[in-house]
Amino acid sequence: MTSSSSPSQDNKRSYPEGLRADALMEEDVAWSLDTDGERDGDQLDRSERAALRRVAGLSTELEDVTEVEYRQLRLERVVLVGVWTSGTAQDSENSLAELAALAETAGALVLDGVIQRRDKPDAATFIGSGKAMELRDIVLETGADTVICDGELGPGQLIALEDVVKVKVIDRTALILDIFAQHAKSREGKAQVALAQMQYMLPRLRGWGQSLSRQMGGGKGGGLATRGPGETKIETDRRRIREKMAKMRREIAEMKTGREIKRQERKRHKVPSVAIAGYTNAGKSSLLNRLTGAGVLVENSLFATLDPTVRRAETPSGRLYTLADTVGFVRHLPHHLVEAFRSTMEEVGESDLILHVVDGSHPAPEEQLAAVREVIRDVGATGVPEIVVINKADAADPLTLQRLMRNEKHSIAVSARTGQGIDELLALIDTELPRPSVEVEVLVPYTHGRLVARAHADGDVISEEHTAEGTLLKARVHEELAADLAPYVPAPLV
């Protein structure tokens, strides 16, 4: 009977000197259930683990020549590159797929997409010098003219990667800023996008300024010959950008004042406000149209609408409220945009109720919820009551809907396209909106019918009876209206 040797005995066997390094390498990459059983993802060879992995299904290049002929302009041809630092391989592919959707929304043609597994992005070229050369080969092979990186790159990383791949390189932040610039329509929206773009570009200015005159240090001789001509071109550009940014901030502050006046007017009339927040392309504008008939642009693309829209709406019980559609959010939303759009996002923080819309048909709706809540936390709206509205229920997986509704206790599934669940959502909004706190029972003379009308418009009428002396009204109203109705409280019977 032959006995098999144990792993410990195999580890102790001797090797020729030339093969010792190879044997140690084999022991390093050997897989065992005890040490490697808890690792996430597939266990790949070291070469495969470090290699650039192609992500299938990202190309949007047209193959039918008849479709190409109808193109009015030649789109930028791009290659996407991402760095997988944490999570599973599926998470990194979902992130790159979202980057592909962003690129397509910006008008680019996605040719290829690759992902590299690293502990952290390379400080010099984002993906390392060797992989940057491989990326250069992919760019030459596909004929791309732009590389888009799934992350925010520093100025040095952009320059170093461009020097290797020899084509334009942009990052996720620049791509989102470009989409916002294309879709902003209002004066305030354009100003906010312009401010965010200048904040992003200020530390990344380069080019001609590097080759023009520079200031020289002072010497013993003194005079202009040693001091140099003064500001360099790049310094002049930076100064002008700072001046434009200061002007833009003043303009946005003035626009903010106008919006605050309107908001205070609504508060003075005790009109509750509801804000629609959510991930981009989750169906916020479609839901606004379904609830109010606002007629806002609806398009199956990311960031189709940027300008906030406020519409008047009415609950099934007749209570008036305002419904505000806000800008969509996305994972890793650039902080420049969060700062620039902070005045617009204040609609969320000042509201009485948030309708948090999530795409039920998305592969990872929980990630969308987390990304939106992070931005809501940044604008200080964590104390506002929230209803999670799971949209696109007609196209969602029933198991996904069950999981979301089980995890989100205060949620409802609807379809803005078909109208499924809209009546239930309206009833839920009616229940969640703040109600007047003072209960009154008054006899209002017919000569003061305007007070009865105010009670119907701003309060919650419990009962109403018309008598010979006037209108006997029982209602819950706000403190201001309760003070106006106080003289008409009927005297107690003796």
Side-chain angles (χ1 to χ4, degrees), residues 92-257:
S92 61
E93 291 185 6
N94 288 342
S95 180
L96 206 66
E98 183 177 87
L99 185 69
L102 288 168
E104 193 173 355
T105 300
L109 194 64
V110 180
L111 302 178
D112 207 346
V114 295
I115 294 176
Q116 186 196 12
R117 183 72 167 98
R118 295 179 64 95
D119 292 334
K120 60 181 180 179
D122 183 68
T125 60
F126 187 65
I127 56 175
S129 57
K131 294 300 180 289
M133 293 302 297
E134 293 181 29
L135 181 61
R136 169 63 178 164
D137 296 337
I138 295 174
V139 168
L140 289 174
E141 176 188 339
T142 57
D145 50 32
T146 305
V147 170
I148 304 179
C149 297
D150 191 14
E152 184 169 346
L153 274 64
Q157 289 174 312
L158 285 171
I159 296 172
L161 192 56
E162 279 187 355
D163 288 343
V164 177
V165 299
K166 305 301 182 185
V167 295
K168 181 173 65 175
V169 176
I170 64 174
D171 57 13
R172 184 188 183 94
T173 301
L175 179 61
I176 294 176
L177 288 172
D178 182 67
I179 296 172
F180 271 58
Q182 292 180 35
H183 291 182
K185 296 293 185 291
S186 69
R187 178 167 169 259
E188 183 175 12
K190 291 178 180 178
Q192 289 168 329
V193 173
L195 176 60
Q197 286 179 318
M198 286 186 285
Q199 286 177 319
Y200 174 79
M201 286 301 300
L202 184 61
R204 292 170 173 81
L205 283 181
R206 55 192 174 89
W208 289 108
Q210 297 176 350
S211 58
L212 296 182
S213 57
R214 285 179 166 80
Q215 290 184 1
M216 299 168 59
K220 293 182 179 179
L224 291 176
T226 55
R227 285 202 300 268
E231 273 187 319
T232 63
K233 178 67 169 62
I234 196 168
E235 289 169 344
T236 305
D237 291 342
R238 284 174 179 160
R239 177 170 52 81
R240 288 176 178 171
I241 286 180
R242 290 191 186 99
E243 291 173 355
K244 287 182 180 179
M245 287 171 60
K247 180 182 177 183
M248 206 70 69
R249 287 193 179 99
R250 288 193 298 268
E251 292 180 359
I252 292 174
E254 293 173 1
M255 299 175 203
K256 176 183 176 182
T257 302

Side-chain angles (χ1 to χ4, degrees), residues 273-431:
S273 62
V274 178
I276 302 178
Y279 213 76
T280 180
N281 206 30
K284 298 183 299 301
S285 299
S286 300
L287 186 64
L288 178 68
N289 290 343
R290 174 65 70 171
L291 293 175
T292 66
V296 177
L297 169 69
V298 173
E299 188 177 335
N300 185 24
S301 65
L302 307 184
F303 301 113
T305 51
L306 293 182
D307 303 319
T309 305
V310 181
R311 290 292 182 269
R312 178 175 173 172
E314 188 174 330
T315 65
S317 64
R319 299 178 64 198
L320 296 177
Y321 66 97
T322 58
L323 199 60
D325 181 19
T326 60
V327 63
F329 304 141
V330 72
R331 275 184 299 185
H332 312 303
L333 190 67
H335 64 276
H336 309 295
L337 279 176
V338 175
E339 288 300 320
F341 278 80
R342 182 172 293 277
S343 56
T344 303
M345 293 175 182
E346 285 175 359
E347 290 288 346
V348 178
E350 297 290 336
S351 63
D352 298 300
L353 180 66
I354 297 176
L355 297 185
H356 185 166
V357 184
V358 60
D359 183 358
S361 63
H362 192 270
E366 289 86 359
E367 293 181 8
Q368 291 191 350
L369 287 168
V372 174
R373 282 171 176 158
E374 182 179 352
V375 179
I376 289 176
R377 186 171 57 251
D378 289 342
V379 298
T382 52
V384 181
E386 175 192 67
I387 298 176
V388 176
V389 182
I390 308 170
N391 194 23
K392 305 183 185 179
D394 55 321
D397 182 7
L399 294 178
T400 302
L401 288 179
Q402 292 176 12
R403 186 180 73 246
L404 285 173
M405 297 189 73
R406 184 173 61 250
N407 295 337
E408 300 294 336
K409 302 303 181 184
H410 207 48
S411 61
I412 184 172
V414 304
S415 172
R417 186 176 67 87
T418 65
Q420 171 190 343
I422 296 298
D423 293 338
E424 292 82 355
L425 176 60
L426 286 170
L428 189 57
I429 292 173
D430 196 358
T431 304

